């Protein structure tokens, strides 16, 4: 393989705050070297590193790249959990048969999807 993804970087007005939201989503601890007011903050999971970089520009259009989250619990329970953390539902693409996904927005408007869990997909195949 010529390249691999090392980090996904988000421009944000407040790196520490937005990283705090994503730390809760992924249920991981904040790195020891992240402090309020720093120009960067990180979220490190077993599968991906997210970096939040300070940028005062406001988001004005749809994301061109987004994350697709596959929860370990049922999709609808994960959507409810993440909304309780501060996300909002942007688009609901759930289908009556249980298929589909939900597009959420983080506190700064970055869109991401919550898919069905592997168990939910296996139960319908």
């Amino acid at each position: 393989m010529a390249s691999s993804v090392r980090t996904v970087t988000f421009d944000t007005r407040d790196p520490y705050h937005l990283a705090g939201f994503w730390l809760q989503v992924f249920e991981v601890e904040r790195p020891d070297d992240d402090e309020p007011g720093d120009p960067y903050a990180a979220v490190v999971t077993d599968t991906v590193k997210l970096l939040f970089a300070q940028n005062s520009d406001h988001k004005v259009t749809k994301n061109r790249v987004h994350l697709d989250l596959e929860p370990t619990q049922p999709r609808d329970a994960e959507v409810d959990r993440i909304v309780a953390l501060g996300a909002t539902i942007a688009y609901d693409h759930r289908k009556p048969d249980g298929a589909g996904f939900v597009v959420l927005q983080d506190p700064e408007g970055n869109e991401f999807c919550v898919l069905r869990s592997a168990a939910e997909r296996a139960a319908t195949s």
Side-chain angles (χ1 to χ4, degrees):
M1 178 192 312
S3 295
S4 61
V5 176
R6 179 175 171 192
T7 305
V8 178
T9 302
F10 292 77
D11 289 340
T12 177
R13 291 184 302 279
D14 186 343
Y16 190 84
H17 180 261
L18 192 57
F21 167 80
W22 286 100
L23 288 162
Q24 293 178 80
V25 168
F26 290 114
E27 297 179 335
V28 295
E29 297 296 318
R30 188 181 295 274
D32 292 336
D33 59 349
D34 282 355
E35 298 290 336
D38 286 350
Y40 298 97
V43 173
V44 181
T45 76
D46 291 339
T47 58
V48 68
K49 177 180 179 181
L50 304 180
L51 182 66
F52 299 90
Q54 191 165 28
N55 184 315
S56 61
D57 295 342
H58 292 282
K59 180 182 179 305
V60 294
T61 61
K62 183 180 180 337
N63 295 24
R64 302 280 312 234
V65 174
H66 68 268
L67 303 177
D68 287 341
L69 305 183
E70 179 184 81
T72 55
Q73 67 176 331
R75 176 201 55 218
D76 295 348
E78 184 70 350
V79 168
D80 292 344
R81 184 183 78 83
I82 295 173
V83 166
L85 295 175
T88 56
I89 295 176
Y91 307 101
D92 193 334
H93 296 288
R94 290 178 276 198
K95 309 243 187 266
D97 68 357
F101 58 95
V102 180
V103 180
L104 299 178
Q105 291 180 325
D106 73 15
E108 286 202 15
N110 298 300
E111 295 177 0
F112 60 100
C113 295
V114 179
L115 311 175
R116 292 184 299 163
S117 68
E120 289 173 301
R121 288 192 319 280
T124 60
S125 53

